[in-house]
Amino acid sequence: MRRLALTGLALAVTAALAAACGGSGKSTAPATAASDPSKVSGEITVLTNRTDLVNDGTMKKYADDFAKVYPGVQVKFEAITDYEGEVKIRMNTENYGDVLLIPNVIAKGDYPKFFAPLGSAAELSKKYKFTQSGTVNDQVYGIVSFASANGFVYNKDLWARAGVTEWPKTPEEFLAALKAVKDKTGATPLYTNYKDGWPLSNWTNGNGSVTCDTKAETAMTTGDPWAPGKDLNVIDSLLFNAVHQQLTEKDPTTTNWEDSKKFIATGKIGAMWLGSWAIPQMQAAATTAGQSADSIAFMPFPSQAGGSFCSVLNPDYQYAVNSHSQNKAAARAWLDWFVDKSGFSATNQGVSPVTSDPLPSALKPYSDAGVKLIELETDQRILVDNIDKESEVGIKSPDYRQKLIDVARGAAKGDLNSVLADLSARWKAGQQSAA
């Protein structure tokens, strides 16, 4: 139901996908916006990872509202549990829906091989934020669904019972707070969601938050992301130490994402590192469990720069139109309506890509506390993707953090220094290979 399940194997097959999937590299017909909705018709299939919203009828309600504007378009949804895994396989064919979320396995440089251009970056950036994420050679191929601030979703009432009422400002203070939660409440202080995997990938989204550096991603092209004081060093060290100090679940191989919502809502879990998109899901779980939705809160990574917390706004999945779609006008109509008019981003407490939309209510505590919301420069993302591929680290994959956790809990050989040194060495080799 959420993001990022990118394995080392997936990284290895990216090039093969590019060659197989309409991969001639030839330009495709653009998916242009329609000026007259009554003249747009056809049946489109929309691929989604939100199985919950399809199953509970929410997506049908969106389609019904869309049909009031575009009566000639029929929308069919295909909900996929293992979205990354299944869609990347389907993209070996032309049959990957009409509108889809761009899988993270697809390198940015390959977008023109799979998706129809939506317009020039100069044009679309006037209306939308985060267009850089989907831009290749000044053409936009994906529109961000919404962006999430990153932070720890936590049970505020549980932390208060442990005597922690203020946000920790350093990793050391955060670990001390986790220990207080464990000692005074008996709850699992921090839940990794190790088994589902993708939540571990979310820790990379903190890159830039530690140092409040908008150029943190660009720096990865020449520097060592795991050098002392660098964002990924601090982030991965915090995770390692929390596991090593037994402040996480006893057996990470048995975690369950859906259960974790109930556990944090009922005070069995103290915190999880996620995006702000998770807040309404946890609040809904609290209400279902007969608890107060107000018990679910959000705190930034425990680090300050210049006396302020920072949180990177991480664009979620991007919507795109299949370059092979036979109904591009209808597909583009759905994409535009869903981004601009559906209210989906606000419902998910995400930052809307529409420049005129306000911040979601879930981020009011951040704005009240002066947390700086920053956006990373992504103009070097294609190079970063290539370095990541050559290094076989998989910064968008759960694999390396699962290994980190295994070392931290004694299930694999090594220590924190050896894990970080290995990551640094592999990344340096990747930089040299990608040069």
Side-chain angles (χ1 to χ4, degrees), residues 58-70 75 77 127-128 319 330-344 354:
T58 298
M59 294 306 296
K60 184 180 183 303
K61 292 177 182 176
Y62 284 128
D64 290 343
D65 289 341
F66 171 75
K68 296 174 184 176
V69 183
Y70 292 91
V75 181
F77 299 103
K127 183 176 182 181
Y128 298 114
Y319 297 118
R332 179 63 186 272
W334 169 262
L335 188 157
D336 286 351
W337 180 88
F338 198 71
V339 172
D340 297 356
K341 304 295 184 182
S342 71
F344 181 76
V354 180

Side-chain angles (χ1 to χ4, degrees), residues 62-342:
Y62 284 128
D64 290 343
D65 289 341
F66 171 75
K68 296 174 184 176
V69 183
Y70 292 91
V73 180
Q74 295 78 49
V75 181
K76 181 176 70 174
F77 299 103
E78 189 171 343
I80 303 171
T81 301
D82 179 14
Y83 187 86
E84 291 280 342
E86 185 170 331
V87 175
K88 79 172 188 283
I89 294 172
R90 288 179 56 171
M91 290 182 72
N92 283 289
T93 72
E94 297 181 2
N95 180 26
Y96 45 96
D98 296 284
V99 181
L100 69 157
L101 307 168
I102 298 180
N104 292 288
V105 70
I106 305 301
K108 183 179 178 183
D110 288 332
Y111 286 3
K113 300 174 183 178
F114 302 105
F115 312 116
L118 303 175
S120 71
E123 171 195 358
L124 291 181
S125 63
K126 296 175 184 177
K127 183 176 182 181
Y128 298 114
K129 300 189 286 283
F130 318 117
T131 53
Q132 193 178 53
S133 297
T135 299
V136 180
N137 296 328
D138 296 322
Q139 283 293 312
V140 177
Y141 292 88
I143 301 294
V144 170
S145 53
F146 58 84
S148 293
N150 60 77
F152 288 97
V153 179
Y154 71 108
N155 188 308
K156 182 170 59 176
D157 294 343
L158 179 71
W159 281 55
R161 283 169 49 201
V164 183
T165 56
E166 295 187 0
W167 293 340
K169 295 182 176 64
T170 66
E172 293 74 22
E173 288 183 10
F174 185 79
L175 291 170
L178 294 182
K179 189 174 187 306
V181 169
K182 180 179 180 179
D183 292 344
K184 296 181 181 179
T185 72
T188 298
L190 179 66
Y191 199 74
T192 68
N193 266 301
Y194 173 107
K195 185 175 183 294
D196 283 87
W198 63 261
L200 288 175
S201 305
N202 195 67
W203 288 79
T204 296
N205 290 336
N207 188 31
S209 294
V210 177
T211 55
C212 207
D213 183 6
T214 61
K215 300 180 183 295
E217 183 173 293
T218 301
M220 296 177 72
T221 61
T222 56
D224 177 5
W226 292 275
K230 296 297 184 181
D231 287 72
L232 291 183
N233 176 294
V234 176
I235 289 167
D236 288 335
S237 295
L238 175 62
L239 177 59
F240 184 99
N241 289 327
V243 175
H244 190 64
Q245 294 176 27
Q246 299 182 355
L247 300 173
T248 56
E249 64 275 0
K250 292 181 180 178
D251 183 0
T253 65
T254 62
T255 61
N256 181 281
W257 164 246
E258 292 299 332
D259 286 346
S260 72
K261 301 178 190 180
K262 295 179 288 186
F263 293 158
I264 196 169
T266 55
K268 294 180 180 179
I269 289 175
M272 293 185 283
W273 175 258
L274 294 165
S276 55
W277 58 265
I279 297 172
Q281 294 189 32
M282 306 306 172
Q283 290 176 333
T287 301
T288 300
Q291 305 296 314
S292 171
D294 293 337
S295 66
I296 302 300
F298 199 52
M299 74 172 77
F301 190 89
S303 177
Q304 292 190 327
S308 298
F309 291 106
C310 291
S311 181
V312 170
L313 290 176
N314 295 110
D316 202 88
Y317 273 121
Q318 299 176 82
Y319 297 118
V321 173
N322 183 346
S323 60
H324 303 288
S325 172
Q326 299 302 306
N327 290 299
K328 287 189 177 70
R332 179 63 186 272
W334 169 262
L335 188 157
D336 286 351
W337 180 88
F338 198 71
V339 172
D340 297 356
K341 304 295 184 182
S342 71

